[in-house]
Amino acid sequence: MGSLVVESKMSAPDAYNTAQKYIRATSLEIKETAGNEKIVAGGERQYDTTILIILLLLVGIFALIYYFTRKKNTLAVSVTSRDQGSAVSIVAEGPKAEAVMQFLSEILR
């Protein structure tokens, strides 16, 4: 799980719109938005395909247990207006969400 705060030179609405556009272009799905302040996105479960296939072949019930106990990728973005620009707080869980977080931190600066 990762988190960071980016001090952006963009205005809060511009930072929000930029983050929203990029998240829509990724494999994460926007689950919730609140005004021009918060975006919550999620994606598929993080699992190892090889382990899942082996478990399916050997013992099907363990494959289901393995799959449903894996956490989903989640990303939360909060935008706060500042005197000059904005502050963007990003919290990510899972490798895909963390990759999106790293990219957003670069484009929002």
Side-chain angles (χ1 to χ4, degrees), residues 31-75:
K31 305 282 186 184
E32 174 187 338
T33 60
N36 280 340
E37 297 176 358
K38 183 178 179 182
I39 302 169
V40 177
E44 61 190 34
R45 296 179 190 279
Q46 183 57 37
Y47 60 90
D48 187 331
T49 308
T50 307
I51 292 173
L52 185 61
I53 291 171
I54 290 170
L55 287 172
L56 275 170
L57 293 174
L58 297 176
V59 187
I61 191 72
F62 290 118
L64 292 174
I65 292 170
Y66 171 75
Y67 177 78
F68 285 111
T69 58
R70 302 299 102 190
K71 291 185 177 182
K72 291 187 176 185
N73 287 287
T74 58
L75 180 77

Coordinates of all heavy atoms in Angstrom, one line a residue, residues 31-75:
K31 N -15.3 4.2 -9.0 CA -16.5 3.7 -8.2 C -17.3 4.8 -7.6 O -18.5 4.7 -7.4 CB -15.9 2.8 -7.1 CG -15.1 1.6 -7.6 CD -15.9 0.5 -8.1 CE -15.0 -0.7 -8.5 NZ -15.8 -1.7 -9.1
E32 N -16.6 5.9 -7.3 CA -17.2 7.0 -6.5 C -16.5 8.3 -6.8 O -15.3 8.4 -6.9 CB -17.1 6.7 -5.0 CG -17.6 7.7 -4.1 CD -17.4 7.3 -2.6 OE1 -17.2 6.1 -2.3 OE2 -17.3 8.3 -1.8
T33 N -17.3 9.4 -6.9 CA -16.7 10.7 -7.0 C -17.5 11.6 -6.1 O -18.7 11.4 -5.8 CB -16.8 11.3 -8.4 OG1 -18.2 11.3 -8.8 CG2 -16.0 10.5 -9.4
A34 N -16.9 12.7 -5.6 CA -17.5 13.7 -4.7 C -17.1 15.0 -5.2 O -16.0 15.5 -4.9 CB -17.1 13.4 -3.3
G35 N -18.0 15.7 -5.9 CA -17.7 17.0 -6.4 C -16.4 17.1 -7.2 O -16.2 16.2 -8.0
N36 N -15.7 18.1 -7.0 CA -14.3 18.2 -7.6 C -13.3 17.9 -6.6 O -12.2 18.5 -6.7 CB -14.2 19.6 -8.2 CG -14.8 19.7 -9.6 OD1 -15.1 18.7 -10.2 ND2 -15.1 21.0 -10.0
E37 N -13.5 17.0 -5.6 CA -12.6 16.8 -4.6 C -12.1 15.4 -4.4 O -10.9 15.2 -4.0 CB -13.2 17.2 -3.2 CG -13.6 18.7 -3.2 CD -14.3 19.0 -1.9 OE1 -14.6 18.1 -1.1 OE2 -14.7 20.2 -1.7
K38 N -12.9 14.4 -4.7 CA -12.5 13.0 -4.4 C -12.9 12.0 -5.5 O -14.0 12.1 -6.1 CB -13.2 12.6 -3.1 CG -12.8 11.2 -2.6 CD -13.5 10.9 -1.3 CE -13.2 9.6 -0.8 NZ -13.8 9.2 0.4
I39 N -12.0 11.1 -5.8 CA -12.2 10.0 -6.8 C -11.8 8.7 -6.1 O -10.7 8.6 -5.5 CB -11.4 10.2 -8.0 CG1 -11.7 11.5 -8.7 CG2 -11.6 9.0 -9.0 CD1 -10.7 11.9 -9.8
V40 N -12.7 7.7 -6.1 CA -12.3 6.4 -5.6 C -12.5 5.4 -6.8 O -13.5 5.4 -7.4 CB -13.2 6.0 -4.4 CG1 -12.9 4.5 -4.0 CG2 -13.1 6.9 -3.3
A41 N -11.4 4.7 -7.1 CA -11.4 3.8 -8.2 C -11.0 2.4 -7.7 O -10.3 2.3 -6.7 CB -10.5 4.3 -9.3
G42 N -11.4 1.4 -8.4 CA -11.0 0.0 -8.1 C -10.8 -0.8 -9.3 O -11.2 -0.4 -10.4
G43 N -10.2 -2.0 -9.2 CA -9.9 -2.9 -10.3 C -10.0 -4.3 -9.9 O -10.5 -4.6 -8.8
E44 N -9.5 -5.1 -10.7 CA -9.6 -6.6 -10.5 C -8.7 -7.0 -9.4 O -7.9 -6.3 -8.9 CB -9.2 -7.3 -11.8 CG -7.8 -7.0 -12.2 CD -7.5 -7.6 -13.6 OE1 -8.4 -7.6 -14.4 OE2 -6.4 -8.0 -13.8
R45 N -8.9 -8.2 -8.9 CA -8.1 -8.8 -7.8 C -6.7 -9.0 -8.3 O -6.5 -9.3 -9.4 CB -8.7 -10.1 -7.3 CG -10.1 -9.9 -6.7 CD -10.7 -11.2 -6.3 NE -12.1 -11.1 -5.9 CZ -12.5 -10.6 -4.8 NH1 -11.6 -10.3 -3.8 NH2 -13.8 -10.5 -4.5
Q46 N -5.8 -8.9 -7.4 CA -4.4 -9.1 -7.7 C -4.1 -10.6 -7.3 O -4.0 -10.9 -6.2 CB -3.5 -8.2 -6.9 CG -2.0 -8.3 -7.2 CD -1.7 -8.2 -8.7 OE1 -2.3 -7.3 -9.4 NE2 -0.8 -8.9 -9.2
Y47 N -3.9 -11.4 -8.3 CA -3.6 -12.8 -8.1 C -2.6 -13.3 -9.1 O -2.4 -12.7 -10.2 CB -4.9 -13.7 -8.1 CG -5.6 -13.6 -9.5 CD1 -5.3 -14.5 -10.5 CD2 -6.6 -12.7 -9.7 CE1 -6.0 -14.5 -11.7 CE2 -7.2 -12.6 -10.9 CZ -6.9 -13.5 -11.9 OH -7.6 -13.4 -13.1
D48 N -2.0 -14.4 -8.8 CA -1.0 -15.0 -9.7 C -1.7 -16.1 -10.6 O -2.3 -17.0 -10.0 CB 0.1 -15.7 -8.9 CG 1.3 -16.2 -9.8 OD1 1.0 -16.5 -10.9 OD2 2.4 -16.2 -9.3
T49 N -1.8 -15.8 -11.8 CA -2.5 -16.7 -12.8 C -2.0 -18.2 -12.7 O -2.8 -19.1 -12.7 CB -2.4 -16.2 -14.2 OG1 -2.8 -14.8 -14.2 CG2 -3.4 -17.0 -15.1
T50 N -0.7 -18.3 -12.6 CA -0.1 -19.7 -12.6 C -0.6 -20.4 -11.3 O -1.0 -21.6 -11.4 CB 1.4 -19.6 -12.5 OG1 1.8 -18.8 -13.6 CG2 2.0 -21.0 -12.6
I51 N -0.6 -19.8 -10.2 CA -1.1 -20.4 -8.9 C -2.5 -20.8 -9.1 O -3.0 -21.9 -8.7 CB -0.8 -19.6 -7.7 CG1 0.7 -19.4 -7.5 CG2 -1.5 -20.1 -6.5 CD1 1.1 -18.5 -6.4
L52 N -3.3 -19.9 -9.6 CA -4.8 -20.1 -9.8 C -5.0 -21.3 -10.7 O -5.8 -22.2 -10.4 CB -5.4 -18.9 -10.3 CG -7.0 -18.9 -10.4 CD1 -7.6 -19.1 -9.1 CD2 -7.5 -17.7 -11.1
I53 N -4.3 -21.4 -11.8 CA -4.5 -22.6 -12.7 C -4.1 -23.9 -12.1 O -4.8 -24.9 -12.2 CB -3.7 -22.3 -14.0 CG1 -4.4 -21.2 -14.8 CG2 -3.7 -23.6 -14.9 CD1 -3.7 -20.7 -16.0
I54 N -2.9 -23.9 -11.4 CA -2.5 -25.1 -10.7 C -3.5 -25.6 -9.6 O -3.9 -26.7 -9.6 CB -1.1 -24.9 -10.1 CG1 -0.1 -24.8 -11.2 CG2 -0.8 -26.0 -9.1 CD1 1.3 -24.3 -10.7
L55 N -4.0 -24.6 -8.9 CA -5.0 -24.9 -7.9 C -6.3 -25.4 -8.5 O -7.0 -26.3 -8.0 CB -5.3 -23.7 -6.9 CG -4.2 -23.4 -6.0 CD1 -4.5 -22.1 -5.2 CD2 -4.0 -24.5 -5.0
L56 N -6.7 -24.8 -9.6 CA -7.9 -25.3 -10.3 C -7.8 -26.8 -10.8 O -8.7 -27.5 -10.7 CB -8.2 -24.4 -11.5 CG -9.0 -23.2 -11.2 CD1 -9.0 -22.3 -12.5 CD2 -10.4 -23.5 -10.8
L57 N -6.6 -27.1 -11.3 CA -6.3 -28.4 -11.8 C -6.3 -29.4 -10.6 O -6.8 -30.6 -10.8 CB -5.1 -28.5 -12.6 CG -5.1 -27.7 -13.9 CD1 -3.7 -27.7 -14.5 CD2 -6.1 -28.3 -14.9
L58 N -5.7 -29.1 -9.5 CA -5.5 -30.0 -8.4 C -6.7 -30.1 -7.5 O -7.2 -31.2 -7.3 CB -4.2 -29.6 -7.6 CG -2.9 -29.7 -8.3 CD1 -1.8 -29.2 -7.5 CD2 -2.6 -31.1 -8.8
V59 N -7.1 -28.9 -7.0 CA -8.2 -28.9 -6.1 C -9.0 -27.6 -6.3 O -8.6 -26.5 -5.9 CB -7.7 -29.0 -4.6 CG1 -8.9 -29.1 -3.7 CG2 -6.7 -30.1 -4.4
G60 N -10.2 -27.7 -6.9 CA -10.9 -26.6 -7.3 C -11.3 -25.6 -6.2 O -11.3 -24.4 -6.3
I61 N -11.7 -26.2 -5.1 CA -12.2 -25.3 -4.0 C -11.1 -24.4 -3.4 O -11.3 -23.3 -3.1 CB -12.8 -26.2 -2.8 CG1 -13.5 -25.3 -1.8 CG2 -11.8 -27.0 -2.1 CD1 -14.8 -24.7 -2.3
F62 N -9.8 -24.9 -3.4 CA -8.7 -24.1 -3.0 C -8.4 -22.9 -4.0 O -8.0 -21.9 -3.5 CB -7.5 -24.9 -2.7 CG -7.6 -25.8 -1.5 CD1 -7.5 -27.2 -1.7 CD2 -7.8 -25.3 -0.3 CE1 -7.6 -28.0 -0.6 CE2 -7.9 -26.1 0.8 CZ -7.8 -27.5 0.7
A63 N -8.7 -23.2 -5.2 CA -8.5 -22.1 -6.2 C -9.5 -21.0 -5.9 O -9.2 -19.8 -6.0 CB -8.7 -22.7 -7.6
L64 N -10.8 -21.4 -5.6 CA -11.8 -20.3 -5.3 C -11.4 -19.6 -4.1 O -11.5 -18.3 -4.0 CB -13.1 -21.0 -5.2 CG -13.7 -21.5 -6.5 CD1 -15.0 -22.3 -6.2 CD2 -13.9 -20.5 -7.5
I65 N -11.0 -20.3 -3.0 CA -10.5 -19.6 -1.8 C -9.4 -18.7 -2.1 O -9.4 -17.5 -1.6 CB -10.2 -20.7 -0.7 CG1 -11.4 -21.4 -0.3 CG2 -9.5 -20.0 0.5 CD1 -11.1 -22.6 0.6
Y66 N -8.4 -19.1 -2.8 CA -7.2 -18.3 -3.2 C -7.7 -17.0 -3.9 O -7.3 -15.9 -3.6 CB -6.3 -19.1 -4.1 CG -5.2 -18.3 -4.6 CD1 -4.1 -17.8 -3.9 CD2 -5.2 -17.9 -6.0 CE1 -3.1 -17.0 -4.4 CE2 -4.2 -17.1 -6.5 CZ -3.1 -16.7 -5.7 OH -2.1 -15.9 -6.2
Y67 N -8.6 -17.2 -4.9 CA -9.0 -16.1 -5.7 C -9.8 -15.0 -4.9 O -9.5 -13.8 -4.9 CB -9.9 -16.5 -6.9 CG -10.4 -15.4 -7.7 CD1 -9.7 -14.7 -8.6 CD2 -11.8 -15.0 -7.5 CE1 -10.1 -13.7 -9.4 CE2 -12.3 -13.9 -8.3 CZ -11.5 -13.3 -9.2 OH -11.9 -12.2 -9.9
F68 N -10.7 -15.5 -4.1 CA -11.5 -14.5 -3.3 C -10.9 -14.0 -2.1 O -11.4 -13.0 -1.5 CB -12.9 -15.2 -3.0 CG -13.8 -15.3 -4.2 CD1 -14.1 -16.5 -4.7 CD2 -14.3 -14.2 -4.8 CE1 -14.9 -16.6 -5.8 CE2 -15.1 -14.2 -5.9 CZ -15.4 -15.5 -6.4
T69 N -9.7 -14.5 -1.7 CA -9.0 -13.9 -0.6 C -8.0 -12.8 -1.1 O -7.3 -12.2 -0.2 CB -8.3 -14.9 0.3 OG1 -7.4 -15.7 -0.5 CG2 -9.3 -15.8 0.9
R70 N -7.8 -12.7 -2.4 CA -6.8 -11.7 -2.9 C -7.5 -10.3 -2.8 O -8.7 -10.2 -3.2 CB -6.4 -12.0 -4.3 CG -5.8 -13.3 -4.6 CD -4.5 -13.5 -3.8 NE -4.8 -14.3 -2.6 CZ -4.0 -14.6 -1.6 NH1 -2.8 -14.0 -1.6 NH2 -4.4 -15.3 -0.6
K71 N -6.8 -9.3 -2.5 CA -7.3 -8.0 -2.4 C -7.4 -7.4 -3.8 O -6.6 -7.7 -4.7 CB -6.4 -7.1 -1.5 CG -6.4 -7.5 -0.1 CD -5.7 -6.5 0.8 CE -5.8 -6.9 2.2 NZ -5.1 -6.0 3.1
K72 N -8.4 -6.5 -3.9 CA -8.6 -5.8 -5.2 C -7.6 -4.6 -5.2 O -7.2 -4.0 -4.1 CB -10.0 -5.3 -5.3 CG -11.0 -6.4 -5.5 CD -12.4 -5.9 -5.8 CE -13.3 -7.1 -6.1 NZ -14.6 -6.6 -6.5
N73 N -7.3 -4.1 -6.4 CA -6.6 -2.9 -6.5 C -7.5 -1.7 -6.3 O -8.6 -1.7 -6.8 CB -6.0 -2.8 -8.0 CG -4.9 -3.7 -8.3 OD1 -3.8 -3.5 -7.8 ND2 -5.2 -4.8 -9.0
T74 N -7.1 -0.8 -5.4 CA -7.9 0.4 -5.1 C -7.1 1.6 -5.1 O -5.9 1.6 -4.8 CB -8.6 0.3 -3.7 OG1 -7.6 0.1 -2.7 CG2 -9.6 -0.9 -3.7
L75 N -7.7 2.7 -5.5 CA -7.0 4.0 -5.6 C -8.0 5.1 -5.1 O -9.1 5.1 -5.5 CB -6.6 4.3 -7.1 CG -5.9 5.6 -7.4 CD1 -4.5 5.5 -6.9 CD2 -6.0 5.9 -8.8

